[in-house]
């Protein structure tokens, strides 16, 4: 009795792959009668299909063309509603223009087991490519195997050997934000960081630390948030009680909104008392009070570019854009003391 039968479910392509000792993509290629599968591998796959009584439900379009005309997108439920929505919109728009649909797999938290499950789900569907917008720092061998067999692009997310990387230089974003505050005359810059398990958060924090070090300034302890305005508000309450704080680099716009509210409630004005720079430049950044100085990254364009990278080139490599600083009214020179 197979594991799938014991679960009371029809066997999946992943079950066939495990039984045959191959990847799910190899199973998909075998069932599509791809010429790139050798005879021994084909025999093992077909034997596993027969033993498990696997029913292949691929659409006629997949069977006739060898392609599903579907792209997979892996997202994290938490970590910024606006950025997640914009990436999704960019992916779906670009995919639709190219004649592809998008299958979305969402994971609840940063967990390698959940990531593996999502990638296997997309592999079972026979997607032609995968876009990963999840910032896991560590990857597993199974994730490596799947992304080696299926063309994959990461949008500032999980790095696997076979995946191409698309995003902005997060280290430079942290350095640029910090340097702007120093150039404005501030002698110290505090930092509200994103979650340490996120690649972007680590790189932005490193950029902040190295910029201060280059200026001969010892970095104060960073305060960690979770990307939410509420976490920015909590950390802002702490910073508001430290009189010498005149400049804060916040790792995201949404957290910056919370920091600004906390400062205002404690009687500290932005930017008269405290200057703030953040990262993202979501649409609301220009309309908060005061309008937010921020390092811009275009999430919609990143999603669309990921699709273009998947469909337009087979060359491996990285495509990392330089960030741009959008100066608004949340930064100013410090008051003279």
């Amino acid at each position: 009795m197979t594991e799938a039968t014991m679960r009371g479910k029809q066997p999946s392509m992943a079950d066939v792959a495990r039984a045959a000792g191959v990847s799910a993509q190899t199973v998909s290629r075998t069932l599509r009668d791809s010429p790139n599968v050798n005879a021994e591998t084909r025999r093992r796959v077909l034997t596993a299909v027969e033993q498990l009584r696997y029913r292949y439900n691929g659409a006629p379009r997949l069977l006739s063309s060898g392609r599903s005309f579907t792209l997979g997108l892996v997202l994290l439920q938490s970590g910024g509603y606006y950025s997640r929505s914009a990436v999704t919109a960019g992916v779906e728009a670009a995919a639709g223009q190219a004649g592809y649909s998008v299958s979305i797999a969402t994971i609840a938290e940063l967990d390698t087991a959940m990531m593996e499950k999502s990638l296997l789900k997309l592999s079972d569907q026979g997607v032609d490519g995968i876009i990963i917008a999840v910032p896991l720092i560590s990857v597993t061998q199974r994730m490596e195997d799947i992304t080696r067999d299926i063309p994959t692009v990461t949008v500032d997310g999980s790095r696997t050997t076979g995946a191409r990387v698309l995003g902005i230089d997060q280290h430079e974003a942290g350095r640029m934000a910090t340097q702007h505050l120093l150039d404005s005359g501030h002698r110290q810059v505090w930092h509200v960081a994103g979650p340490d398990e996120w690649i972007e958060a680590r790189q932005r924090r490193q950029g902040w630390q190295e910029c201060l070090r280059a200026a001969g300034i010892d970095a104060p302890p960073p305060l960690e948030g979770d990307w939410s305005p509420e976490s920015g508000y909590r950390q802002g309450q702490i910073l508001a009680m430290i009189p010498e704080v005149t400049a804060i680099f916040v790792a995201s716009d949404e957290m910056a909104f919370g920091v600004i509210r906390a400062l205002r409630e404690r009687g500290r004005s932005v930017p008269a008392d405290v200057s703030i720079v953040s990262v993202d430049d979501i649409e609301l950044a220009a309309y908060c009070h005061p309008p937010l100085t921020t390092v811009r990254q275009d999430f919609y364009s990143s999603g669309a570019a990921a699709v273009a990278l998947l469909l337009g080139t087979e060359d491996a490599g990285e495509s990392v854009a330089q960030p741009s600083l959008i100066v608004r009214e949340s930064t100013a020179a410090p008051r003279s003391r």
Side-chain angles (χ1 to χ4, degrees):
M1 182 178 294
T2 68
E3 180 183 349
T5 304
M6 291 175 65
R7 293 196 307 263
K9 299 179 181 179
Q10 290 295 329
S12 68
M13 190 177 292
D15 294 320
V16 175
R18 281 190 289 271
V22 299
S23 70
Q25 186 68 4
T26 298
V27 174
S28 177
R29 288 171 179 161
T30 301
L31 296 176
R32 298 199 307 261
D33 201 25
S34 169
N36 296 324
V37 180
N38 65 47
E40 173 58 23
T41 299
R42 187 182 306 278
R43 183 193 66 77
R44 297 202 328 260
V45 169
L46 295 178
T47 298
V49 167
E50 182 177 356
Q51 291 175 342
L52 297 178
R53 297 182 181 179
Y54 172 65
R55 292 183 298 178
Y56 184 52
N57 295 318
R61 191 180 187 191
L62 170 62
L63 292 172
S64 61
S65 69
R67 289 188 291 169
S68 65
F69 290 90
T70 301
L71 301 179
L73 173 61
V74 186
L75 294 167
L76 184 66
Q77 286 179 359
S78 61
Y81 169 80
Y82 296 99
S83 59
R84 185 170 65 250
S85 298
V87 168
T88 302
V91 168
E92 290 183 327
Q97 291 174 357
Y100 284 74
S101 61
V102 179
S103 178
I104 298 176
T106 305
I107 64 176
E109 58 187 78
L110 291 175
D111 178 79
T112 54
M114 290 184 180
M115 186 70 172
E116 286 181 357
K117 184 177 180 181
S118 293
L119 291 175
L120 284 170
K121 168 190 170 183
L122 296 173
S123 180
D124 278 359
Q125 294 172 6
V127 297
D128 295 324
I130 296 175
I131 297 167
I132 300 175
V134 175
L136 283 174
I137 292 175
S138 60
V139 297
T140 65
Q141 186 58 52
R142 178 171 289 182
M143 291 162 60
E144 291 281 5
D145 292 342
I146 295 171
T147 57
R148 183 179 59 247
D149 288 339
I150 306 174
T152 302
V153 170
T154 71
V155 181
D156 276 330
S158 301
R159 270 65 168 167
T160 62
T161 303
R164 287 160 288 182
V165 180
L166 177 70
I168 75 164
D169 186 338
Q170 303 291 349
H171 183 279
E172 176 61 14
R175 191 209 64 79
M176 182 180 290
T178 307
Q179 189 62 52
H180 173 69
L181 292 168
L182 295 179
D183 289 344
S184 297
H186 296 274
R187 297 181 179 180
Q188 180 60 278
V189 178
W190 294 70
H191 183 38
V192 177
D196 187 61
E197 64 268 25
W198 286 61
I199 296 172
E200 295 98 323
R202 286 193 180 187
Q203 292 176 338
R204 291 172 195 174
R205 186 180 69 241
Q206 290 166 357
W208 161 71
Q209 291 170 329
E210 291 178 15
C211 183
L212 290 180
R213 187 181 306 120
I217 301 171
D218 292 331
L223 286 74
E224 185 174 317
D226 61 10
W227 301 124
S228 70
E230 197 274 335
S231 70
Y233 177 76
R234 289 197 309 269
Q235 303 301 356
Q237 288 178 312
I238 296 171
L239 291 169
M241 294 186 291
I242 305 174
E244 58 267 29
V245 172
T246 68
I248 306 171
F249 164 44
V250 187
S252 77
D253 292 347
E254 292 185 57
M255 289 198 298
F257 299 153
V259 171
I260 291 173
R261 176 179 172 179
L263 291 169
R264 185 174 292 124
E265 288 181 355
R266 296 276 181 169
R268 305 195 68 182
S269 174
V270 176
D273 298 314
V274 181
S275 288
I276 291 186
V277 181
S278 60
V279 180
D280 285 341
D281 194 29
I282 65 175
E283 190 171 350
L284 291 177
Y287 297 95
C288 75
H289 181 68
L292 195 58
T293 295
T294 183
V295 179
R296 187 180 190 208
Q297 52 181 350
D298 190 334
F299 295 106
Y300 182 93
S301 295
S302 292
V307 173
L309 190 56
L310 272 181
L311 302 181
T313 179
E314 295 298 324
D315 295 332
E318 298 193 0
S319 177
V320 181
Q322 292 302 304
S324 57
L325 180 70
I326 309 299
V327 179
R328 298 194 180 100
E329 297 171 28
S330 67
T331 54
R335 285 178 172 172
S336 59
R337 297 189 177 184

